[in-house]
Amino acid sequence: MNSDAINKGTGCAPQRSLLRALGMTDEEISKPMIGIVSSYNEIVPGHMNIDKIVNAVKTGVAMAGGNPVVFPAIAVCDGIAMGHKGMKYSLVTRDLIADSTESMAIAHAFDALVMVPNCDKNVPGLLMAAARLNIPTIFVSGGPMLAGHVMGEKRSLSSMFEAVGSYNSGKITADELNEFENKVCPTCGSCSGMYTANSMNCLTEVLGMALRGNGTIPAVYSERIQLAKHAGMKIMELLEKNIRPRDIMTEDAFRNALTMDMALGCSTNSMLHLPAIAHECGIDLNLDIANEISSHTPNLCHLAPAGHTYMEDLNEAGGIYAVMNEVNKLGLLKTDLITCTGKTIAENIAGVVNRNPEIIRPVDNPYSSTGGIAVLRGNLAPDSCVVKRSAVAPEMLKHSGPAKVFDCEEDAMAAINGGKIIEGDVVVIRYEGPKGGPGMREMLNPTSAIMGMGLGSTVALITDGRFSGATRGASIGHVSPEAAAGGPIAFVKDGDIIDIDINANTINVRISDEEFAQRKANWVPKEPAIKTGYLARYASLVTSADKGAVLMAQCPVPGNK
């Protein structure tokens, strides 16, 4: 279906009368109608500039002969939602965004779409919608924030959260904490490190759904406005050539995305979102291949929180195409794939230069010979869990210690701030998974408190919830099956010794199978935290984290057309 369904022939006179009520002229009505999905709002710093991006896209579409029409998508600021009930409403918006965009696009018979997202669940939600709708679509994000400058050093949001832990442990003063608060987030844009939003905007570029610079051009640069105009023009070419999302987002494209995920050191949330997007394409993206890809993919970038470089630095070094070109020196990418440029990956990255080998390490001098994310398995996580290996201190890659078990984030925070967590401990936070939360909260507060108190090289944290992309340290999330589903994490007790070996991809608790069976037989499921409203409905439908936390009601039609 396309806009002919609402603007051609006598039978469409009622629809055309409503288009005229919008102020559309005959000339506009006769042109292809291009939906521009605007994620603009006034509460998310990464979205406050999107109105300008949208206006630039409209200009580009009109310049290329289309009729641009804007409609909205929601977005949650994970930083503002962090640490309270609001975080339960973050991941769940991914499906609201996909569903509402599908509804708007089909109800109004758009010929093509330009998605303008920026933050964490907003990007994957719109990618899921693009795959589901499968009409010509291109993405242009709002862009990353510039790094802050605090006490003479570049800083980002992860520094802010850790500063709270440092203040609570007496390592910095109230005045120093206030300086962080006032200077760490200096501009609009998605927060300045390789956190989830920037990870997903970069991987959108890798997948071939966005033009060069989508993931890295800072939000405040005029170049971002130019990029938006080019995206508006390019969608008309994609419409003419009938190049659609499932032509671009193939199984090989997702393998490329996983490869670049490892090279870039992206957020562990990508391990939720890539399978969910692939699911909408009719592709089963089994996370078992993540370790296989990681085993031969070098980690080339250490952006915050793993290091002290930022998105603006990656942009100056050549951006995502430069990293792709570096990785491809090892022949690790499938480069004959079509992209939204109308060209192949090989054509896109040809001749792109790495301008700073300190920001983008050459393949012969990587940060590590293996990728930035590891998927672990063992008797504590039979169906997997994930960790951002590139952000773990070397001494914590292998760790054994006694469990300190908490049934929610708030209890864990009280123990951490109360000095009850000591060197060697393994903090276990459960009943925070997709069903158990419900909503699988990000837990940047406890990980930042641990780091801020100087325990990052001696304490591990394990959860069936998830972590912000700003998290660093031995923070292991997405434990599957989750506690609410009767997974082994539900049966762990204080004092149990947990063995973590990130390089060996294993995580086990020193309990016999017989003891596990005994504890399971005596287990009483925890009462659902929320029994009404959208979260209760979400909990009843959502699958486990290793499946991408997709909703069981989602039934995309496989295939490319």
Side-chain angles (χ1 to χ4, degrees), residues 19-260:
L19 296 177
R20 295 183 195 286
L22 295 169
M24 288 189 190
T25 65
D26 287 340
E27 291 81 4
E28 289 172 300
I29 293 171
S30 67
K31 293 176 180 178
M33 191 159 68
I34 310 301
I36 303 174
V37 186
S38 170
S39 304
Y40 169 76
N41 64 48
E42 294 183 343
I43 188 61
V44 184
H47 290 237
M48 63 182 285
N49 65 316
I50 279 180
D51 56 339
K52 297 177 178 60
I53 305 297
V54 166
N55 285 336
V57 171
K58 290 176 68 176
T59 298
V61 169
M63 288 168 61
N67 178 20
V69 181
V70 179
F71 66 89
I74 63 170
V76 164
C77 178
D78 281 13
I80 295 174
M82 195 72 64
H84 59 92
K85 183 179 178 180
M87 180 46 72
K88 295 177 183 288
Y89 285 86
S90 172
L91 178 62
V92 303
T93 64
R94 190 184 68 180
D95 297 278
L96 287 175
I97 291 163
D99 291 350
S100 60
T101 302
E102 172 194 2
S103 300
M104 287 292 288
I106 294 178
H108 301 103
F110 288 104
D111 295 289
L113 296 173
V114 182
M115 307 290 200
V116 190
N118 211 25
C119 287
D120 296 34
K121 313 310 161 305
N122 184 240
V123 181
L126 290 178
L127 282 166
M128 290 164 66
R132 195 184 300 175
L133 290 161
N134 203 34
I135 61 175
T137 304
I138 195 168
F139 279 65
V140 56
S141 75
M145 183 184 291
L146 293 178
H149 291 263
V150 184
M151 301 176 191
E153 295 183 21
K154 280 187 175 183
R155 299 284 190 169
S156 61
L157 185 64
S158 52
S159 308
M160 180 71 253
F161 277 87
E162 290 175 18
V164 175
S166 296
Y167 172 75
N168 287 338
S169 60
K171 295 180 183 296
I172 64 172
T173 66
D175 286 343
E176 288 171 325
L177 181 65
N178 187 61
E179 184 175 353
F180 271 93
E181 180 181 332
N182 283 285
K183 295 183 178 179
V184 81
C185 295
T187 72
C188 62
S190 48
C191 297
S192 55
M194 189 56 80
Y195 310 144
T196 306
N198 291 327
S199 294
M200 293 311 302
N201 282 323
C202 290
L203 294 178
T204 302
E205 205 173 321
V206 174
L207 283 169
M209 290 297 293
L211 301 176
R212 180 182 180 184
N214 178 73
T216 60
I217 297 170
V220 295
Y221 283 14
S222 297
E223 187 181 358
R224 173 67 54 180
I225 300 296
Q226 295 166 355
L227 179 72
K229 290 176 182 176
H230 284 130
M233 290 185 275
K234 184 60 69 172
I235 191 61
M236 299 307 296
E237 179 184 331
L238 295 176
L239 178 60
E240 181 183 357
K241 294 180 177 179
N242 196 29
I243 298 174
R244 297 190 259 175
R246 292 206 294 265
D247 299 324
I248 295 171
M249 292 193 288
T250 63
E251 187 168 354
D252 283 334
F254 283 102
R255 286 190 67 95
N256 283 350
L258 280 173
T259 299
M260 289 299 297

Side-chain angles (χ1 to χ4, degrees), residues 211 262 275 382 430 468 493 513:
L211 301 176
M262 300 301 171
R430 62 192 179 193
S468 164
K493 295 182 178 179
D513 292 344

Side-chain angles (χ1 to χ4, degrees), residues 388-429:
K388 190 169 184 174
R389 174 167 43 198
S390 60
V392 178
E395 58 268 35
M396 288 298 291
L397 290 171
K398 189 172 184 178
H399 178 77
S400 297
K404 296 280 183 71
V405 183
F406 306 94
D407 284 351
C408 65
E409 178 186 358
E410 288 82 0
D411 290 351
M413 279 300 296
I416 295 167
N417 288 332
K420 296 180 180 179
I421 304 302
I422 61 174
E423 292 186 3
D425 283 346
V426 179
V427 177
V428 177
I429 306 177

